[in-house]
Amino acid sequence: MAHPSTQVPDRRSRPDLTALRILVVEDEDALALLIKYNLEAEGYRVECVTRGDEAEIRIAEGGLDLVVLDWMLPGVSGLEVCRRLRAREASRTLPVIMLTARGDEQERLRGLAIGADDYVVKPFSTPELMARVKALLRRAKPERISSRLSFGDVELDRETHRVMRSAREVHLGPTEFRLLEHLMEKPGRVHSRAQLLDAVWGSTAEIDERTVDVHVGRLRKALVQGDEPDPLRTVRGAGYSFDETFGKR
Ligand code: CA
């Protein structure tokens, strides 16, 4: 199996994330590895450090597009790292997502007050962190992340929330829109129902997996009219994917 860092994104609809560089500051090795692995699978370049003071040195070197910053760190705390980087001209606008302990509302508010752009509460689901990273980068670097995903004759615009198929507009509910967006981000990848629930409905949702089938059914009905080819694949016993051969057959 190819190591994720060696995978070259080659999908037409894939946003160009290859040059985006993320620093992960986390002293729990297993968690740092998990975050790194998942960010690399999304196409980002990832560096990891385990101490607050190491993070400050790396941030001062520049060239980063986003920092995932744990609150509790050896050396200098995440909060202090964030406060200091905001005070320096070169890193004033560097996007920062803080990882905070569960349930500590005060901690989160302090993090935001000190200049963190967003926070994720531990323990978090990986898709949730990936979604936050993507959303923050889209806000901070709109020129680097395309607002449009297109594949074959299907085009999805994240900003206007419009979906077009050839010349006709496809009207989708918010859930169907997010579902299509998620599937189109990784054409060919088969997503299990549980993965789709996590990514589209959110980790806290207590929803039956059959709900996914219902919404895929609605999406398909809106997307495919007459004898148009179906861009969605149902993989028995596995889940759903956006067909990577769609529009190429
Ligand atoms: Ca920690």
Side-chain angles (χ1 to χ4, degrees):
M1 200 180 91
H3 188 270
S5 67
T6 63
Q7 287 176 358
V8 180
D10 60 353
R11 308 297 191 195
R12 278 182 295 160
S13 67
R14 190 103 179 232
D16 178 19
L17 303 173
T18 47
L20 287 167
R21 208 178 275 268
I22 297 177
L23 178 67
V24 175
V25 189
E26 169 59 72
D27 56 317
E28 288 169 52
D29 286 342
L31 182 57
L33 251 176
L34 180 74
I35 296 172
K36 178 176 159 69
Y37 182 90
N38 280 279
L39 286 171
E40 286 180 344
E42 296 284 331
Y44 303 107
R45 277 197 248 168
V46 183
E47 297 173 36
C48 292
V49 294
T50 56
R51 296 177 54 91
D53 43 357
E54 288 172 348
E56 295 199 291
I57 292 167
R58 178 59 195 90
I59 290 164
E61 286 170 5
L64 297 170
D65 295 295
L66 184 140
V67 180
V68 175
L69 183 60
D70 187 31
W71 182 289
M72 296 293 288
L73 292 168
V76 180
S77 79
L79 187 73
E80 187 58 19
V81 171
C82 187
R83 197 187 64 73
R84 290 183 195 169
L85 74 86
R86 282 292 175 260
R88 275 192 303 269
E89 185 59 38
S91 52
R92 187 156 290 152
T93 60
L94 180 61
V96 175
I97 295 182
M98 292 210 66
L99 307 180
T100 74
R102 173 158 219 146
D104 194 337
E105 187 67 19
Q106 283 306 109
E107 218 174 61
R108 284 180 245 164
L109 294 175
R110 276 172 72 204
L112 292 176
I114 219 82
D117 297 278
D118 201 356
Y119 61 83
V120 176
V121 180
K122 288 182 179 179
F124 51 83
S125 75
T126 312
E128 182 187 359
L129 178 62
M130 297 303 117
R132 298 294 188 88
V133 164
K134 194 164 55 182
L136 181 51
L137 284 170
R138 204 177 295 141
R139 288 207 303 275
K141 315 240 164 203
E143 74 288 357
R144 300 280 291 279
I145 296 190
S146 170
S147 73
R148 285 187 184 186
L149 296 170
S150 71
F151 213 96
D153 60 358
V154 176
E155 189 172 294
L156 177 147
D157 191 317
R158 308 182 211 250
E159 265 158 37
T160 61
H161 270 240
R162 283 182 119 168
V163 176
M164 303 292 290
R165 175 142 197 194
S166 300
R168 99 183 136 82
E169 184 166 1
V170 179
H171 297 279
L172 299 177
T175 304
E176 285 73 36
F177 181 89
R178 285 201 303 276
L179 194 52
L180 180 62
E181 180 185 18
H182 191 70
L183 293 171
M184 283 184 80
E185 279 170 356
K186 294 199 183 66
R189 181 196 274 200
V190 179
H191 305 261
S192 71
R193 288 167 179 81
Q195 286 169 336
L196 289 172
L197 275 181
D198 208 16
V200 176
W201 279 262
S203 55
T204 55
E206 292 280 336
I207 302 173
D208 194 287
E209 291 191 357
R210 278 169 296 186
T211 304
V212 176
D213 303 332
V214 172
H215 286 273
V216 169
R218 282 186 202 155
L219 173 59
R220 195 172 251 150
K221 199 171 168 211
L223 213 48
V224 183
Q225 288 191 353
D227 55 0
E228 287 175 337
D230 186 351
L232 306 179
R233 271 179 70 222
T234 304
V235 183
R236 272 174 72 98
Y240 296 102
S241 75
F242 193 94
D243 190 347
E244 80 277 24
T245 66
F246 172 68
K248 296 174 180 172
R249 283 166 291 186

